[in-house]
Amino acid sequence: MKMTDITAILGNESEQLLNHICNTIPKHNLQLPGTDFVDRVMALSNRKPSVLRNLQALYHRGRLSDTGYLSLLPVDQGVEHSAGASFAPNPMFFDPKCIVELAIEGGCNGVASTLGVLAIVSRQYAHKIPMILKINHNELLTYPNKFDQTLFASIDQAFDMGACAVGATVFFGSDESRRQIQEVSAAFEHAHDLGMVTILWAYTRNSAFKTADNDYHVSADLTGQANHLAVTIGADIVKQKMATNNGGYNAIKFGKTHPKVYSELTTDHPIDLVRYQVANCYMGRIGMINSGGESGSDDLHQAVRTAVINKRAGGMGLISGRKAFQKPFAEGVKLLHSIQDVYLSHEVTIA
């Protein structure tokens, strides 16, 4: 199989992204992904042997098998946004079988989706690819729209269908975040008791976080703190939007921060911003995967760019959905393979 030409795809950004050296938080201070990550890092934690076994199973699948990196396909937008908004661009994905087949053909480590999607095909696929049951969702059929995460499934349902992991979202910063933290913390404890891996979508959400000048939902300082809280409530893997700016605390004038966060621990370079996100995951002891974002006209470039930044910052991989499943099947597979090629490339090193 021909590997992706990463330099050509990055174009005029290749020098900035591929040769940058991070002088904020040195790479030797991080616990980096690798073939021995479960033995070297996670085995020192309080996780049960059954959790470690399922975590290793997740790392041991797909094109990134045994690299310590993850490429996941998430398809829960049918609930989060609407089935029509999500699947009209490619109606074959109204069928859950096609979702799982894309993850398999795309060489992913696992597939994350809803109770409905995974349950309807679990007997066919639970033994063929690790399944991650997303237990809570927002939904936009409620009018007027609300932005909250509601439990749609239980940990026991995930276990019974053969899922190796559960996923959940907390909207940190929202009015409902304290309840969500309590719900997810209890759910993750139960998941660990049953031997399942836990993945937290650690998103910031508050209208005050978006100002006339910037959208601080993706600031390094606010998302970094969301990551820190995610690890605190028992996440084994943290999913986070890639930081694209900084200074949320200072711009919104709330909470607590420190001048050194901005003068020494970060710069405006995209890799340094993401390095700060990784550092907040207990210096990489819990892996951080970045989300791929919505689909657009420049998907291949954006996906490869995000993967390069994540890997060079010390992240653990990418979880990309709409960029893959809103395309014809073969194009979706190609995009997923291009993301994975970044993590397989020996030329893309830790900054």
Side-chain angles (χ1 to χ4, degrees):
M1 179 184 295
K2 184 179 179 181
M3 297 292 282
T4 302
D5 189 340
I6 297 166
T7 301
I9 290 174
L10 292 177
N12 58 15
E13 285 190 296
S14 62
E15 173 69 23
Q16 177 200 22
L17 295 180
L18 293 176
N19 296 322
H20 175 71
I21 297 173
C22 184
N23 292 311
T24 54
I25 299 168
K27 62 183 179 182
H28 63 255
N29 286 354
L30 301 176
Q31 295 293 334
L32 295 169
T35 57
D36 62 342
F37 187 80
V38 172
D39 285 336
R40 173 169 42 90
V41 179
M42 296 303 293
L44 304 179
S45 73
N46 68 339
R47 273 54 168 184
K48 296 170 67 172
S50 49
V51 175
L52 301 179
R53 181 192 63 213
N54 274 323
L55 189 58
Q56 188 64 49
L58 199 58
Y59 288 128
H60 189 59
R61 182 69 61 157
R63 294 183 71 232
L64 298 184
S65 175
D66 297 330
T67 63
Y69 290 105
L70 296 172
S71 169
L72 302 177
L73 178 72
V75 188
D76 61 344
Q77 288 87 353
V79 173
E80 289 278 345
H81 303 154
S82 81
S86 302
F87 304 134
N90 199 358
M92 67 182 291
F93 288 107
F94 276 106
D95 186 344
K97 177 181 178 180
C98 295
I99 292 172
V100 183
E101 286 289 343
L102 176 61
I104 293 173
E105 291 298 317
C108 294
N109 298 74
V111 58
S113 196
T114 65
L115 172 64
V117 165
L118 296 180
I120 205 71
V121 294
S122 64
R123 291 184 183 275
Q124 184 175 4
Y125 290 109
H127 58 296
K128 296 178 181 177
I129 185 170
M131 298 195 308
I132 302 156
L133 175 59
K134 184 76 164 33
I135 62 171
N136 68 356
H137 309 280
N138 188 27
E139 57 82 26
L140 298 182
L141 190 58
T142 301
Y143 184 82
N145 290 161
K146 293 180 63 177
F147 293 93
D148 191 8
Q149 289 289 322
T150 304
L151 290 170
F152 274 62
S154 72
I155 298 300
D156 289 336
Q157 285 173 307
F159 180 78
D160 288 342
M161 75 168 60
C164 81
V166 297
T169 299
V170 171
F171 283 155
F172 291 105
S174 70
D175 289 340
E176 299 83 10
S177 63
R178 294 293 181 88
R179 190 208 79 243
Q180 294 168 16
I181 289 169
Q182 290 176 323
E183 287 178 350
V184 173
S185 178
F188 279 9
E189 180 184 15
H190 187 35
H192 281 157
D193 284 343
L194 294 177
M196 289 183 289
V197 175
T198 58
I199 305 175
L200 192 74
W201 279 238
Y203 290 165
T204 59
R205 180 64 63 85
N206 192 302
S207 59
F209 293 176
K210 189 172 185 178
T211 69
D213 300 320
N214 231 330
D215 185 357
Y216 293 104
H217 288 99
V218 286
S219 70
D221 54 354
L222 297 188
T223 56
Q225 179 60 16
N227 286 358
H228 196 80
L229 296 175
V231 179
T232 301
I233 62 173
D236 299 318
I237 298 165
V238 174
K239 177 191 176 188
Q240 183 57 264
K241 295 180 180 180
M242 179 163 283
T244 59
N245 61 63
N246 207 359
Y249 278 118
N250 295 327
I252 303 163
K253 296 180 172 55
F254 86 114
K256 289 184 179 293
T257 187
H258 193 283
K260 285 189 175 181
V261 170
Y262 314 100
S263 64
E264 295 183 17
L265 301 185
T266 59
T267 72
D268 59 0
H269 194 286
I271 293 173
D272 294 347
L273 295 175
V274 177
R275 174 68 55 89
Y276 186 72
Q277 291 181 316
V278 172
N280 273 275
C281 293
Y282 291 10
M283 282 295 189
R285 288 183 180 274
I286 293 297
M288 187 194 73
I289 55 177
N290 283 125
S291 53
E294 63 186 57
S295 183
S297 59
D298 193 27
D299 282 344
L300 180 61
H301 171 258
Q302 290 300 324
V304 169
R305 180 182 188 274
T306 303
V308 167
I309 294 170
N310 172 271
K311 182 181 181 183
R312 300 211 68 221
M316 192 166 274
L318 218 59
I319 179 165
S320 187
R322 283 169 287 176
K323 280 182 167 59
F325 73 77
Q326 290 186 338
K327 291 179 169 54
F329 193 91
E331 289 184 28
V333 169
K334 181 180 178 182
L335 184 133
L336 291 169
H337 285 178
S338 295
I339 290 170
Q340 294 151 13
D341 285 349
V342 171
Y343 295 97
L344 292 171
S345 172
H346 297 298
E347 274 114 44
V348 182
T349 59
I350 309 300

